[in-house]
Amino acid sequence: MAAANDSSDLSSEMEVDAFRRVVQTYICILAAGAVASADGSALAKIGSTTMLAAIKMEVMTPTVECPDEGSIAIEFHMPPICSPLVRPRPADVASVISKQLSDTILSSGMIDIKELCLVGGKAAWMAYLDIYCLDADGALFDAALLSAVAAFSHLNIPVVSLNDDGQIVLVSEDTVQLKLEKEPVNKEKRKLKLNSLPFSLTCILNKNYILADPTAEEESIMETVVTVVLDSSYQLVSLYKPGGPVLGHTSGIQDCVALARHRVKELQNVLNEAISDMEID
Amino acid sequence: MEVDRKDGRTANQLRPLTCSRNVLNRAHGSVSWSQGETKVLAAVYGPNAGTKKNENPEKACFEVIWKPKTGHVGKAEKEYEMILKRTVQSICVLNVHPNTTTSIIIQVVNDDGALLPCALNALCVALVDAGIPLKHLAVAICCCLADSGDILLDPSKLEEQIMKAYVYLIFPNSTLSVLPEESLKVIGEPMEHGLIASSTHGVMSVDDYIGCLERGRAATAKLSDFLRRRLQSQFQIDPSKLG
């Protein structure tokens, strides 16, 4: 391709290439207890990339500095099943994505950790979010974030009550029938209130083109990757470009953000459909 | 807009920079770099023979080791290592020494905000000190966004924690050509307007982010000048020492 073209031609080509890719990607979420034993779970598939997210809630004592806050621990695993390039030793990519995910989820303000408090100063929820990559075919962060958001949307906080020793105990389904000694501590708060949900789009930058939502083959050829995370009010939660030979100019970055906006709308629809399917069950 | 910063700086003012080259005996290139209280020691060993597994043997390979001041090496350190490695791969000429590994070690001496930019600046000077062939240098800066919408440069740790959001930005060094015509002739956008790497924390609007980019770019001109002066003066002294 010639270096000096009409900028208008190139930008229209850029749009067409990028949109084609975004439209052709098949997204499907199967929420609703993909993992029956977890308190919240979701299986997200974008193209071939498959992620399974599961949340387990445990009661813990909050720290002295923040007595009315719970906490969330996010871990991303890449077991060898996901890709021939991953061996049993934890891949470096997994640690980086894990850190990126926890930064994004905690700084996006999706979850107010004060809501995870049960009894101020004595008991609070600790949510363990584990995301397993089952099939790594590019754009791992996007699928992982989507599955995490879906899992939190599906999360059912277990009912607990205070027993005589002042300990929080889980109220199992059978004892609900019998008379309870104490009222459950959180009978009304079974679902977590989520503020603006973050959604992300990964793009590859080439000198003249932007490819949205790359597969693993495309990612292996081009080294420059940009991940844009927007929340439902189109605020920028994260713009992550971890170095690469192609430089990001303002126009390129704004194109990526525009593509991300489209993606946010699509993903919101898919998530809402999945949640409403789940509620019907 | 007047902003009250704890240490009395203006919004666009960077902290005092100090840089000493060749501080370590055994390392091929080393530098001690500090921006205000944030201090980083960077060392380069290389090129050494042989590449690691799964790396392309036709190109030079780089490995970055990040050592925090205290505690175990965790995920944050791995993330920094990855960002620095990819940045280094984009600024170095990889074809000159194929099938070699260059190790870059970053030791954090003190963390008072803007740690990744400080480390990257140190790394570039260390690479020059070691004589690794580079296409151009990279300069890094941290911009933070206050609740009022003001953009402050180079925050300290306290400022980073209270701000709404902060961004680490890495730009290529501004080009200074020997031929004056080359500097003027610019096809498309000038290279120093590009962005090598960016890492954000906190929520901000897209316009705020673009504003941070502009401010960061303007400030990197000062950093580039400082780097140039530092690297030039050393070379003028050395020949006389050789006698």
Side-chain angles (χ1 to χ4, degrees):
Chain A
M1 48 203 128
N5 266 347
D6 258 86
S7 53
S8 53
D9 275 357
L10 263 180
S11 53
S12 54
E13 274 190 59
M14 218 191 288
E15 295 294 298
V16 170
D17 226 8
F19 280 145
R20 211 180 287 143
R21 190 148 310 272
V22 175
V23 162
Q24 275 181 350
T25 303
Y26 176 68
I27 314 176
C28 140
I29 310 182
L30 313 163
V35 179
S37 57
D39 299 315
S41 58
L43 177 75
K45 224 165 117 86
I46 297 188
S48 304
T49 305
T50 313
M51 298 279 170
L52 178 64
I55 305 178
K56 282 290 266 184
M57 308 283 280
E58 243 185 40
V59 182
M60 60 147 200
T61 29
T63 56
V64 182
E65 297 96 42
C66 322
D68 56 352
E69 284 178 2
S71 85
I72 306 176
I74 302 174
E75 189 69 47
F76 178 77
H77 305 264
M78 276 184 82
I81 197 174
C82 68
S83 153
L85 305 168
V86 176
R87 296 324 307 147
R89 268 193 73 247
D92 280 339
V93 182
S95 319
V96 175
I97 296 185
S98 184
K99 167 115 197 315
Q100 252 186 293
L101 271 172
S102 55
D103 276 348
T104 307
I105 292 180
L106 296 173
S107 70
S108 70
M110 170 170 87
I111 297 173
D112 183 7
I113 48 177
K114 290 202 182 348
E115 270 205 44
L116 292 174
C117 179
L118 279 172
V119 178
K122 297 229 193 87
W125 283 120
M126 171 84 161
Y128 289 103
L129 170 66
D130 288 293
I131 304 177
Y132 290 87
C133 179
L134 300 175
D135 199 341
D137 191 30
L140 299 178
F141 181 75
D142 295 349
L145 187 63
L146 184 62
S147 66
V149 169
F152 274 113
S153 309
H154 166 249
L155 179 66
N156 278 322
I157 303 182
V159 182
V160 289
S161 67
L162 212 52
N163 73 0
D164 290 333
D165 301 328
Q167 299 278 339
I168 299 273
V169 283
L170 227 61
V171 173
S172 69
E173 293 303 309
D174 316 321
T175 53
V176 170
Q177 259 63 308
L178 310 170
K179 221 160 58 122
L180 291 164
E181 284 152 20
K182 287 253 160 62
E183 274 300 297
V185 172
N186 62 341
K187 197 153 85 164
E188 25 356 278
K189 285 196 304 189
R190 294 292 308 272
K191 275 266 190 216
L192 208 56
K193 178 164 146 314
L194 299 174
N195 304 324
S196 50
L197 305 169
F199 296 103
S200 85
L201 177 67
T202 305
C203 306
I204 294 182
L205 294 183
N206 184 9
K207 236 184 289 194
N208 299 326
Y209 294 98
I210 299 177
L211 260 83
D213 200 12
T215 60
E217 195 185 335
E218 290 160 359
E219 270 183 1
S220 63
I221 305 173
M222 305 299 303
E223 289 176 0
T224 313
V225 175
V226 178
T227 303
V228 180
V229 182
L230 296 174
D231 66 11
S232 4
S233 46
Y234 303 118
Q235 296 267 318
L236 188 73
V237 175
S238 160
L239 197 149
Y240 189 71
K241 180 178 186 300
V246 179
L247 305 174
H249 295 279
T250 316
S251 51
I253 291 177
Q254 284 178 328
D255 287 332
C256 288
V257 174
L259 289 171
R261 280 208 189 98
H262 281 272
R263 181 63 145 191
V264 166
K265 284 195 208 114
E266 281 180 18
L267 290 179
Q268 265 179 329
N269 289 338
V270 178
L271 184 65
N272 290 337
E273 261 182 51
I275 303 277
S276 50
D277 281 343
M278 176 187 79
E279 269 157 19
I280 291 170
D281 286 342
Chain B
M1 266 179 279
E2 280 309 305
V3 184
D4 262 331
R5 292 180 87 167
K6 278 254 162 67
D7 45 9
R9 283 186 286 154
T10 61
N12 274 339
Q13 201 175 348
L14 304 174
R15 287 176 289 182
L17 301 164
T18 62
C19 156
S20 338
R21 283 173 53 191
N22 211 9
V23 291
L24 299 173
N25 250 333
R26 302 293 304 261
H28 297 138
S30 59
V31 72
S32 161
W33 176 281
S34 75
Q35 283 177 212
E37 295 292 322
T38 306
K39 193 149 182 263
V40 165
L41 202 58
V44 172
Y45 289 87
N48 291 321
T51 41
K52 294 162 76 165
K53 248 203 225 174
N54 298 331
E55 297 273 356
N56 188 358
E58 294 186 24
K59 297 198 166 154
C61 164
F62 288 88
E63 71 168 342
V64 180
I65 301 169
W66 179 289
K67 288 283 178 196
K69 183 177 173 192
T70 53
H72 289 298
V73 175
K75 295 183 208 145
E77 285 73 35
K78 289 255 178 297
E79 194 197 355
Y80 289 150
E81 285 177 8
M82 190 195 74
I83 298 182
L84 290 179
K85 179 180 167 175
R86 291 175 94 148
T87 306
V88 164
Q89 276 173 336
S90 69
I91 65 173
C92 292
V93 185
L94 298 172
N95 304 321
V96 180
H97 300 299
N99 204 18
T100 59
T101 306
T102 305
S103 309
I104 301 167
I105 296 102
I106 308 271
Q107 172 68 56
V108 177
V109 177
N110 191 28
D111 178 12
D112 188 35
L115 187 58
L116 183 64
C118 193
L120 182 99
N121 291 328
L123 190 155
C124 286
V125 181
L127 285 173
V128 171
D129 201 38
I132 308 286
L134 302 172
K135 291 184 225 169
H136 53 80
L137 292 177
V139 281
I141 194 144
C142 176
C143 300
C144 61
L145 188 70
D147 290 318
S148 51
D150 296 320
I151 297 176
L152 305 175
L153 294 180
D154 203 13
S156 64
K157 192 124 188 118
L158 276 165
E159 285 175 336
E160 259 182 18
Q161 283 165 348
I162 58 176
M163 289 297 160
K164 190 164 87 161
Y166 60 91
V167 190
Y168 294 142
L169 296 167
I170 304 181
F171 295 99
N173 198 8
S174 51
T175 47
L176 191 70
S177 177
V178 177
L179 303 167
E181 308 89 64
E182 284 296 320
S183 300
L184 298 169
K185 191 171 44 153
V186 162
I187 305 171
E189 286 195 48
M191 193 187 69
E192 61 260 30
H193 286 190
L195 177 72
I196 298 182
S198 142
S199 170
T200 71
H201 297 84
V203 185
M204 59 172 89
S205 74
V206 180
D207 294 320
D208 284 333
Y209 179 79
I210 306 284
C212 284
L213 273 185
E214 306 289 322
R215 288 287 200 89
R217 236 175 243 146
T220 53
K222 278 185 247 169
L223 271 170
S224 302
D225 278 335
F226 177 79
L227 270 178
R228 273 212 181 88
R229 271 182 288 127
R230 268 314 181 161
L231 295 171
Q232 267 178 350
S233 58
Q234 210 84 5
F235 284 127
Q236 277 164 12
I237 295 170
D238 279 345
S240 60
K241 278 198 183 151
L242 294 171

